[in-house]
């Protein structure tokens, strides 16, 4: 397998690094004066200084210092539901499309520190969400684990030598964190960049679940059928378990790295877990998510973990059993039903239909009202039930966040 080009991590990018002209927040609402975007060079000697994590929030005073989103995720009282969106930074934004025209390679954009920071902050400048999720990809750590991959701009992820036998798992090793240093650097910079905001947003990291990552590693590409990996589960389950265990070991360490670099919450994307029958999820997905959760809770017990799986209506109780703090809901589950099934000892995230953002402002507002009312006044992070769709009007995203800020307060409910 030919190695994937590396060396992108420490590059500075013309037009993004240097003076960073034009990269201040477009609105003064975030800080009163805007948010300056520093370059990796500007931080220089600060690279070794990791922002404090939320793991030390042990008293009521400490909790009040946490961002609204972190408090809500942990089940603490907040004034309104915090809001962010999956795929918050992406092709629906003109700023992203313009930057992509200059830097057309997805891996360049997602593996260059200054570009990661700039892209992550694009929706913040426009909409001021309560959470900023790192611009990255769930496959990013694979190369650092001995699984080279590339991302074709039209075909998506490509792995030349997929895993099909036990011998194929042998080259996979524990993650080499220095090969994903751009992730840690970007998270550290982001924490410092938003620290002066009047309403500080949470910095969010994320990982793919072992099962979801394995679908790419075994299939060798994106799929909507999962025939190869599901057949391998039956024909040679030992291979699957060996692969899943190796991935889980590294993803747990990758979570630690993101938290210690500045992430205040981690979302685990079991994106394709909903494609499994519950019995198979119990064997091939759930146990490896539990392994990651146990590890992170032992190292960073107060950092909230969210688990999201698309098409997971039949798995909600199982997802709760993994020990995460927040269950991410897709839009096909009624929020009231989800609350009834999950109980009030776990927080929920979601779950407005992404297609609603193509509707009228009144339609968007009504969807938010319905979701917030059914979720209740504690332990809810407002989000879509899936990522922002390509072509979504930016003014609809702006309305989503502004309406929530102005109309979803809990004090009168």
């Amino acid at each position: 397998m030919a190695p994937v080009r590396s060396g992108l991590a420490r590059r500075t990018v013309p037009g993004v690094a240097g003076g960073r002209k034009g990269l201040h927040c477009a609105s003064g609402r975030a800080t009163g004066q805007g948010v300056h975007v520093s370059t990796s060079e500007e931080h220089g000697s600060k690279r070794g200084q990791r922002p404090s994590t939320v793991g030390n929030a042990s008293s009521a005073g400490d909790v009040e210092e946490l961002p609204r989103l972190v408090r809500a995720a942990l089940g603490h009282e907040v004034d309104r539901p915090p809001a962010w969106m999956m795929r918050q930074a992406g092709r629906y934004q003109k700023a992203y499309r313009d930057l992509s025209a200059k830097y057309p390679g997805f891996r360049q954009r997602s593996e260059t520190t200054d570009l990661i920071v700039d892209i992550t902050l694009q929706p913040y400048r426009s909409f001021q969400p309560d959470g900023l999720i790192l611009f990255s990809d769930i496959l990013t750590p694979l190369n650092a684990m001995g699984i080279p991959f590339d991302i074709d701009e039209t075909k998506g992820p490509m792995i030349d030598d997929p895993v099909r036998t036990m011998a194929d798992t042998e080259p996979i090793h524990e993650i080499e964190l220095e090969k994903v240093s751009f992730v840690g650097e970007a998270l550290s910079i982001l924490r410092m960049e938003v620290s002066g905001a009047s309403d500080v947003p949470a910095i969010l990291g994320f990982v793919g679940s072992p099962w979801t990552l394995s679908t790419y590693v075994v299939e060798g590409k994106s799929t909507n059928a999962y025939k190869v990996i599901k057949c391998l589960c039956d024909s040679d389950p030992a291979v699957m378990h060996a692969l899943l265990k190796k991935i889980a070991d590294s993803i747990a360490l990758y979570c630690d790295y993101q938290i210690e670099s500045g992430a205040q919450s981690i979302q685990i994307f079991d994106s394709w877990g909903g494609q499994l029958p519950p019995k198979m999820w119990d064997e091939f997905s759930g146990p490896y998510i539990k392994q990651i959760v146990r590890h992170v809770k032992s190292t960073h017990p107060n950092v909230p973990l969210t688990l999201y799986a698309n098409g997971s209506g039949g798995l909600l109780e199982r997802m709760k059993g993994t020990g995460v703090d927040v269950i991410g809901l897709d839009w096909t589950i009624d929020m009231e039903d989800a609350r009834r099934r999950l109980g009030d000892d776990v927080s929920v995230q979601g779950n407005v239909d992404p297609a609603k953002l193509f509707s009228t402002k009144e339609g968007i507002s009504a969807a938010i009202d319905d979701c917030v009312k059914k979720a209740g006044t504690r332990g809810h992070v407002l989000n879509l039930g899936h990522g922002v769709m390509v072509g979504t009007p930016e003014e609809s995203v702006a309305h989503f966040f502004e309406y929530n800020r102005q109309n979803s307060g809990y004090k009168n409910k």
Side-chain angles (χ1 to χ4, degrees), residues 146-366:
I147 309 173
F149 73 96
D150 211 343
I151 296 181
D152 185 279
E153 292 294 317
T154 56
K155 297 179 181 179
M158 305 292 292
I159 293 176
D160 290 336
D161 295 324
V163 169
R164 304 286 170 80
T165 68
M166 191 64 76
D168 293 336
T169 70
E170 292 176 1
I172 301 173
H173 53 74
E174 183 177 286
I175 188 168
E176 298 175 290
L177 293 171
E178 64 272 14
K179 291 186 177 180
V180 288
S181 60
F182 46 85
V183 168
E185 291 167 358
L187 286 166
S188 297
I189 293 170
L190 286 163
R191 275 291 296 275
M192 288 183 277
E193 291 302 341
V194 302
S195 62
S198 59
D199 194 356
V200 178
I203 301 301
L204 313 177
F206 70 93
V207 298
S209 73
W211 167 261
T212 290
L213 293 176
S214 293
T215 64
Y216 296 98
V217 175
V218 173
E219 299 276 349
K221 59 183 179 180
S222 298
T223 178
N224 57 12
Y226 309 95
K227 291 183 290 187
V228 176
I229 190 170
K230 286 183 176 181
C231 288
L232 185 60
C233 288
D234 287 335
S235 65
D236 204 338
V239 172
M240 278 305 309
H241 286 298
L243 174 62
L244 289 162
K245 177 65 165 59
K246 284 193 169 189
I247 292 176
D249 288 344
S250 285
I251 293 301
L253 297 176
Y254 188 46
C255 287
D256 283 344
Y257 178 64
Q258 290 190 38
I259 293 166
E260 289 159 13
S261 297
Q264 296 164 291
S265 181
I266 299 288
Q267 177 151 315
I268 302 169
F269 283 92
D270 192 24
S271 303
W272 310 132
Q275 299 295 320
L276 287 172
K279 182 179 179 181
M280 288 187 72
W281 192 89
D282 288 341
E283 181 176 357
F284 295 103
S285 186
Y288 298 98
I289 296 172
K290 290 179 182 178
Q291 177 186 332
I292 293 168
V293 173
R294 283 195 303 268
H295 173 90
V296 177
K297 287 302 179 183
S298 72
T299 56
H300 302 91
N302 295 327
V303 175
L305 301 177
T306 299
L307 176 59
Y308 172 83
N310 192 33
S312 59
L315 299 172
L316 291 188
E317 294 82 1
R318 287 171 163 83
M319 291 169 68
K320 180 181 178 181
T322 62
V324 295
D325 303 280
V326 185
I327 303 299
L329 306 172
D330 74 17
W331 74 97
T332 65
I333 305 167
D334 183 78
M335 179 60 78
E336 188 172 7
D337 292 343
R339 276 298 204 188
R340 174 175 46 80
R341 290 171 59 185
L342 291 169
D344 59 6
D345 57 342
V346 66
S347 297
V348 291
Q349 178 178 277
N351 66 335
V352 173
D353 183 350
K356 279 290 182 181
L357 296 180
F358 291 89
S359 184
T360 62
K361 288 184 177 181
E362 292 77 14
I364 297 169
S365 301

Side-chain angles (χ1 to χ4, degrees), residues 383-413:
N383 205 315
L384 303 177
H386 199 267
V388 182
M389 299 166 66
V390 175
T392 296
E394 291 189 55
E395 55 269 25
S396 294
V397 177
H399 177 74
F400 181 99
F401 288 115
E402 185 61 25
Y403 183 85
N404 179 62
R405 272 190 293 271
Q406 299 299 325
N407 297 280
S408 298
Y410 291 143
K411 62 182 180 179
N412 296 320
K413 296 186 178 182

Side-chain angles (χ1 to χ4, degrees), residues 359-374:
S359 184
T360 62
K361 288 184 177 181
E362 292 77 14
I364 297 169
S365 301
I368 293 172
D369 287 342
D370 181 68
C371 182
V372 170
K373 179 180 178 181
K374 291 177 177 177

Side-chain angles (χ1 to χ4, degrees), residues 13 50 52 66 75 128 140 196 206 236 389:
V13 182
R50 297 300 186 195
S52 61
L66 298 176
Q128 291 79 53
T140 293
F206 70 93
D236 204 338
M389 299 166 66

